[in-house]
């Protein structure tokens, strides 16, 4: 059975895609990054997590508004 677990490169591309999409809405998550420890675990397959990090309430409200707007547009 082929291994479809994400590589560090896959997760890095995902982080960059998310960063660019957030920027389209004027949103920056300074702590957005690949969670490297998720690749060091003993889980099979590796988790390959994206760390969204912390943000202030203004950023959280902007993110919520962008998500609501996107949902309304569907």
């Amino acid at each position: 059975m082929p291994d479809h677990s994400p590589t560090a490169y896959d997760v890095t591309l995902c982080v960059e895609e998310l960063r660019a999409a957030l920027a389209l809405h004027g949103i920056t998550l300074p702590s957005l990054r690949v969670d490297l420890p998720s690749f060091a675990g003993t889980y099979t397959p590796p988790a390959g997590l994206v760390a969204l990090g912390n943000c202030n309430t203004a950023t959280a409200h902007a993110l919520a508004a962008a998500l609501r707007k996107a949902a309304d547009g569907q």
Side-chain angles (χ1 to χ4, degrees), residues 15-42:
V15 166
E16 293 306 318
E17 179 183 1
L18 179 56
R19 183 175 283 126
L22 289 168
L24 292 173
H25 297 278
I27 299 170
T28 301
L29 296 177
S31 309
L32 181 64
R33 68 187 187 287
V34 175
D35 182 56
L36 292 177
S38 67
F39 288 97
T42 58

Side-chain angles (χ1 to χ4, degrees), residues 33-60:
R33 68 187 187 287
V34 175
D35 182 56
L36 292 177
S38 67
F39 288 97
T42 58
Y43 302 104
T44 304
L49 300 176
V50 173
L52 297 176
N54 298 322
C55 67
N56 60 29
T57 55
T59 301

